[in-house]
Amino acid sequence: MREPVFNFNKDNNMATCTLKKGNKYYTGHAICHADDLDMMTEKTGYEIAYKRAKINMLRDIKNELKIKKEAYVHLHSLMSKSKSFNPESYENKTLRRQIRLINDDLATTKEILATEEQILREYITEKDKFYKRIRANREKGKSN
């Protein structure tokens, strides 16, 4: 995976992150909420956009693994229906091993995806709490 490319559009307050893996590009966007314009920073937008691009990439990897698994399972099903099918053959053992490896990769990818989605939710929640504390302190300072 190459280094992420970031862009910030001040006209619409949108941060964009683009990741490249192989010949595919994955993009994440973050638009500053109207209530947060007083706190807007490019760094926060970049962080959220990066996390979203990463999630998009993981979703694509998961979908590719599912397609690959379905193809291998279908192939194995076709092979097993053959009259000359040998369950102890090198080809059968190799194909079954590949299916197991894809299942492992799929399970790992799903775990990582769930973790990344949770990290993004927590990041946004913590950011909102932080902004509320700053606004409360500002209001306290104005009233004194």
Side-chain angles (χ1 to χ4, degrees), residues 18-73:
T18 303
L19 301 175
K20 183 177 184 205
K21 185 176 188 298
N23 61 349
K24 292 189 174 186
Y25 292 89
Y26 303 96
T27 304
H29 303 282
I31 300 173
C32 185
H33 192 277
D35 295 344
D36 294 336
L37 289 174
D38 61 328
M39 302 281 184
M40 181 179 66
T41 67
E42 289 179 30
K43 184 180 183 295
T44 300
Y46 290 159
E47 186 69 25
I48 293 170
Y50 174 74
K51 290 178 186 309
R52 288 182 175 157
K54 192 172 176 183
I55 287 169
N56 289 336
M57 181 180 67
L58 288 166
R59 285 181 180 153
D60 187 56
I61 291 169
K62 181 183 82 170
N63 291 335
E64 287 177 359
L65 287 169
K66 281 182 176 182
I67 291 167
K68 195 174 189 181
K69 176 186 170 184
E70 288 172 8
Y72 283 0
V73 167

Side-chain angles (χ1 to χ4, degrees), residues 68-69 71-73 75-77 79 85-104:
K68 195 174 189 181
K69 176 186 170 184
Y72 283 0
V73 167
L75 176 61
H76 186 265
S77 174
M79 283 175 48
F85 177 70
N86 178 2
E88 298 302 316
S89 71
Y90 170 79
E91 292 81 6
N92 181 54
K93 289 180 179 181
T94 300
L95 186 55
R96 291 181 63 204
R97 184 180 328 108
Q98 287 302 314
I99 293 170
R100 278 193 311 274
L101 290 173
I102 290 172
N103 279 332
D104 291 347

